[in-house]
Amino acid sequence: MRDPAGLRRALLIVEVLLHNVRSLYNVGAFFRTADAVGLSRLHLSGFTGSPPSKQIAKTALGSELSVPWQRADALALVDDRRHAGWETVAIETVEDAMDLFDWQPRFPVLVVFGHEVDGLPADIVQRCDTRVRIPMVGRKRSLNVATAGGVVLYELFRKARRDVVLP
């Protein structure tokens, strides 16, 4: 586990798991957004790259040095958080997914994002308590994974901010 900033106080009791995210630039963007919203921890699994990396650093702009992160086994992490009483959430466009804006999260929350093209494996999606989709009206009906991460994390931040004391 890495927490290079020392005793970093998270503003949100939210963790993110990136599973098989192939683009190091997307990983760097997640680090940057994680820093912006005060994410508790970023977990990296599968073939998702990790620091140190020039590509991650290019988009993270130093946040890879301050955001707590660790390598993780995806299924074990989801199981661990579920058993600890966390809500585990797959961000995925599956049939039973609820609209992001209708979702009422139960903090603490583990949010899981997957591969940019293939999404999350079925075994991870099925293990999560909740499946959430971002509403879209365009023809493509998808977003870049880092963009989707920003949308979801800021919606969580918005929903939790009444309980957050900003520095």
Side-chain angles (χ1 to χ4, degrees):
M1 285 196 278
R2 297 177 190 251
D3 185 358
L7 298 174
R8 183 176 189 276
R9 189 180 127 248
L11 296 177
L12 288 178
I13 311 260
V14 174
E15 295 179 352
V16 165
L17 168 61
L18 301 182
H19 182 70
N20 288 343
V21 172
R22 67 181 173 185
S23 167
L24 297 175
Y25 297 110
N26 283 336
V27 175
F30 265 96
F31 270 100
R32 186 118 173 248
T33 302
D35 179 70
V37 300
L39 194 75
S40 303
R41 183 167 304 278
L42 186 59
H43 301 273
L44 309 172
S45 70
F47 58 73
T48 303
S50 58
S53 159
K54 288 181 184 179
Q55 292 94 341
I56 290 173
K58 183 173 181 162
T59 51
L61 294 178
S63 59
E64 77 280 15
L65 303 173
S66 62
V67 171
W69 68 273
Q70 68 185 40
R71 297 292 313 170
D73 174 283
L75 294 175
L77 179 65
V78 170
D79 288 346
D80 177 70
R81 293 303 183 264
R82 285 186 76 214
H83 290 114
W86 292 48
E87 181 178 13
T88 56
V89 182
I91 305 301
E92 193 61 76
T93 54
V94 292
E95 190 173 313
D96 65 340
M98 73 172 45
D99 186 296
L100 173 66
F101 303 127
D102 294 334
W103 173 43
Q104 295 303 314
R106 291 179 288 112
F107 295 98
V109 175
L110 172 68
V111 185
V112 186
F113 294 88
H115 187 270
E116 292 91 331
V117 175
D118 300 329
L120 287 166
D123 56 347
I124 294 176
V125 173
Q126 291 165 356
R127 268 195 161 97
C128 289
D129 301 307
T130 309
R131 282 149 294 287
V132 170
R133 64 174 170 73
I134 299 170
M136 294 178 223
V137 296
R139 285 186 173 171
K140 184 61 180 145
R141 312 286 289 178
S142 70
L143 291 172
N144 167 279
V145 68
T147 301
V151 169
V152 170
L153 291 176
Y154 267 92
E155 178 64 6
L156 279 167
F157 185 67
R158 184 188 71 80
K159 288 177 177 175
R161 75 179 180 177
R162 68 182 171 269
D163 301 325
V164 173
V165 178
L166 296 175

